[in-house]
Structures are given as C-alpha cells and as structure tokens.
Amino acid sequence: MSTRQAEVLRAAIELLDEVGLDALTTRRLAARLGVQAGALYRHYPSKRALLDAMVEHIVAEAGAGPPPDGDWAAQLRTLAKGMRRGMLAHRDGARLMATFQAPGEAARASFEALVGLLVRAGATREDAAVGIDTLVCFVNGFAVEEQARGAGAPRDRAFEAGVDVILSGIRTSILV
Amino acid sequence: MSTRQAEVLRAAIELLDEVGLDALTTRRLAARLGVQAGALYRHYPSKRALLDAMVEHIVAEAGAGPPPDGDWAAQLRTLAKGMRRGMLAHRDGARLMATFQAPGEAARASFEALVGLLVRAGATREDAAVGIDTLVCFVNGFAVEEQARGAGAPRDRAFEAGVDVILSGIRTSILV
DNA sequence: ACCTGAACACCGTTCAAGT
DNA sequence: ACCTGAACACCGTTCAAGT
C-alpha cells in the first residue's frame, strides 16, 4: 500500500467525519487533497473500493487493543462494546458498514476469534458460530438504529442490557 | 392520500424490485410513470420523503396478517420470521430500512404490540422493552447482512437459531 | 508515479408556464 | 390538479496528455 494511497484513505475518513456519508463525494475528497477528482482513480479503482477500504480500516481499528480478560461472557461483553464503539466513532459508521458487501479480512478474523472463545468455553463449532452470529448481528443492528436516530439520548444501558440477554441465551441454550 | 400519490409509491416499489436501491432514481421513476422528473415533486416533497413512505409501506405489509398463536415464545418466533420475510421480500429491503430515520407510525405500533406480548407473559415494561429491542435489532442486523451478502445460501436455519438464542435469553434473564 | 483538463452520461431539485 | 421544459448545481468515471 503506497503512502499516497494511505493518505487518500485517511483523508476520506476525515471527510466522512466532517460531512457524513451522503456528502462524501469523490470531488469533495479530491478538493481536500488539492487534486482533480479523476486523480483518485490512480489509487482506488472506484468509490466503492474506497468505501470498502474505509470499512476495513474502521473494523481493524475497532478490533485493536489488548485481548480482554475475565470469563467468556465478560470477554464477549467487552468485545461487543468495542465493536459498537468502533462504529459510533465515525459519523455514519454503522451505515457505512451496512452498505458493505464482502466480509473482508479483518471482519472474518475477528469473527473467528470470537467463535474460538466460545469453543474454548465448551461449545461445538457450529453452536459457537450461531451464538457469535447472533451477537454480531445484534451489535450491527443496534448501532445502525442508534446512529440513524441521530445524536439523541445515549443508549449505553440499552445496549448492554441487550448484550446481556444474548449472553444469557448463549449460556442456557448453547453451552453445555 | 391521493390516488396519484399511491400510484407513485407503488411504481417506486416496483422499480426498487427491478433495479435495486442504487439505481432507484427520480428520473427513472418518472420515466416509468410516463412523466418528467420534476412532476414527482407534486406528490412527494423530496426523494427522502418517498423513501420514507416506501419503508412505511413495507413495514405495514410485513406486519399484516392474523396475530399468531401459541405461547409468547412461539408468537415472537413467528413475528420475527415475518419481519425478516418482509425485508427480504423487496430488493435491498433491509438496506432501505437501515437508511431510515424516524421510527414511523407502523414501526412504533408493532414495537408496542411486541412489548405488550412480553408484559402479558409476566415481564415489567422496561424488561419487555429490552427484550424486544434486542430481538428487533438482531432481526434488522441479520437481514441487512444477509441481503448485503447477495443471494447466496439460504440462511433460514441460521436465522431461526439466532432467534432461539435470544428467546432463551429472554426466558432466563427477563421473565420471572 | 502522479496529476490535469476536459469530457460523458448521469443525478436531485426548482420553477415559470402550460392544460 | 397535474404536468412540461428548461435550467441549476451537482455526481462518478474515463482518458489523452502533461510533468
């Protein structure tokens, strides 16, 4: 990944935070880089490809940090909070993820890590995948709705309560 | 609601199914109606307003049908399946819902109905709201991901397994 | 390697004017 | 009441040509 490509990506994410997804335009991005719109196509083959790179970047930065400690439930709770925080960290972050298509490297890796966590706690691989799928879909669905509703009241408590419902479902219907 | 407005809405939903959300353009919609693009603004003040009306229509048609029977869990399972079916019934239906902002009349009513169901099963109103919120966010998140991944393998079993995890979480952590 | 200039085929929206 | 015609200020993308 060339330095210039990384600069384009960084500028795109900054622009997203400033103007939102709907106003994130190749022409505006080019202007911010002091360049003509067509020049962007040296670095990304399409706007779609750039958006995908942004998603990947945001997922990776959300999945960073030390692995949490505690039992499997405490770890999943921490990781779920981190995923939500990562999406809310950027304007329209959740909606950007939702428009995404292919799971991508970082997303797949973090999914596998979560499944492994439940397997180590005693679940079969299939059951673990169901549990993680449920949790991940909830987190995504929650963040999309939360961000769509605008800056309204903080929904931290509601989010954690939802995570707890799912963790308790995993405990009673998936783990031995 | 004038007849012509209803025709515009119907044409918009047909066009969505044919070309998808990204190609759903005021000009294409106008062409399908045999009219100039500007004429649409007699019936909807903006494309956003038209999209909102489409969401409302789809939500309402998904929430139609007789109330299911069985205990609360069987009823929630049936309703969750219906919500997912409603979103998948139209091309990019899930993504369209996700771009939506205000909850809207139909959505609010169906949320209240679901909460009432859990209250009758013995939950407090707050706990019931948490449970329903969890289920609804999961359903939306699941459908968004499912539709984003394209027509791939049917995910009926994965969906129902996820619903069951949440129902079992509601049973053990919310109900008396 | 990176960018310009200019074009192409589009967008959503507005508004006077028509019937 | 509903629509036309025409414009305005934009889009994403391509591509020869420059440095």
Side-chain angles (χ1 to χ4, degrees):
Chain A
M1 162 122 102
S2 84
T3 292
R4 190 58 175 148
Q5 191 182 37
E7 278 171 19
V8 171
L9 177 57
R10 192 159 50 78
I13 291 177
E14 288 170 9
L15 185 58
L16 173 70
D17 287 336
E18 283 170 25
V19 302
L21 187 56
D22 292 330
L24 177 60
T25 251
T26 56
R27 296 172 118 98
R28 250 188 276 257
L29 176 57
R32 164 183 267 270
L33 287 161
V35 123
Q36 293 300 113
L40 296 175
Y41 291 78
R42 294 276 137 194
H43 308 291
Y44 288 97
S46 67
K47 185 182 180 183
R48 179 69 262 163
L50 175 58
L51 292 175
D52 289 354
M54 292 169 70
V55 171
E56 197 77 358
H57 183 90
I58 291 174
V59 168
E61 104 189 337
D69 54 320
D71 66 354
W72 64 268
Q75 292 182 46
L76 282 186
R77 211 180 340 251
T78 301
L79 292 166
K81 283 194 212 171
M83 289 169 51
R84 169 166 169 264
R85 210 177 329 105
M87 296 174 94
L88 297 187
H90 294 97
R91 169 117 86 125
D92 293 329
R95 214 173 95 217
L96 174 60
M97 316 282 245
T99 72
F100 196 45
Q101 359 235 30
E105 184 55 34
R108 219 159 23 228
S110 97
F111 185 86
E112 284 309 321
L114 295 179
V115 168
L117 208 152
L118 275 188
V119 167
R120 258 169 280 127
T124 67
R125 247 212 64 100
E126 295 84 58
D127 282 353
V130 165
I132 297 306
D133 212 26
T134 308
L135 184 62
V136 168
C137 288
F138 165 74
V139 172
N140 290 343
F142 190 95
V144 164
E145 182 191 306
E146 185 175 15
Q147 230 171 20
R149 299 286 171 278
R155 304 249 297 142
D156 293 32
R157 285 236 341 119
F159 177 74
E160 285 168 44
V163 170
D164 284 344
V165 168
I166 291 176
L167 291 181
S168 132
I170 290 176
R171 185 163 16 236
T172 59
S173 82
I174 281 186
L175 292 177
V176 286
Chain B
M1 163 121 103
S2 85
T3 292
R4 191 56 173 149
Q5 190 182 37
E7 279 171 18
V8 170
L9 177 57
R10 193 160 49 79
I13 290 176
E14 288 170 9
L15 185 58
L16 173 69
D17 287 336
E18 284 170 26
V19 302
L21 187 56
D22 293 330
L24 177 60
T25 250
T26 56
R27 296 173 117 99
R28 250 189 275 258
L29 176 57
R32 165 183 266 270
L33 288 161
V35 123
Q36 294 299 115
L40 295 175
Y41 291 78
R42 293 278 136 193
H43 308 292
Y44 289 96
S46 67
K47 185 181 179 184
R48 179 71 262 164
L50 174 59
L51 291 175
D52 287 354
M54 293 169 69
V55 171
E56 196 78 356
H57 182 90
I58 292 175
V59 168
E61 105 190 336
D69 53 323
D71 65 357
W72 64 268
Q75 292 183 47
L76 282 185
R77 207 174 350 244
T78 301
L79 292 167
K81 283 195 215 173
M83 288 169 52
R84 167 166 170 265
R85 209 178 329 106
M87 295 173 96
L88 297 186
H90 294 98
R91 168 117 86 125
D92 294 327
R95 213 173 94 216
L96 175 60
M97 315 284 245
T99 71
F100 196 45
Q101 0 234 30
E105 184 55 36
R108 218 159 23 228
S110 97
F111 185 87
E112 283 309 320
L114 294 180
V115 169
L117 207 153
L118 275 189
V119 167
R120 257 169 280 126
T124 67
R125 245 211 66 101
E126 293 84 57
D127 283 353
V130 165
I132 296 307
D133 212 25
T134 307
L135 184 63
V136 168
C137 286
F138 165 74
V139 172
N140 291 343
F142 190 96
V144 164
E145 181 191 305
E146 185 174 15
Q147 231 170 19
R149 299 287 170 279
R155 305 249 298 144
D156 294 33
R157 285 233 342 118
F159 177 74
E160 286 169 42
V163 170
D164 284 343
V165 168
I166 291 175
L167 292 181
S168 127
I170 290 176
R171 185 164 16 239
T172 59
S173 81
I174 282 187
L175 290 178
V176 286

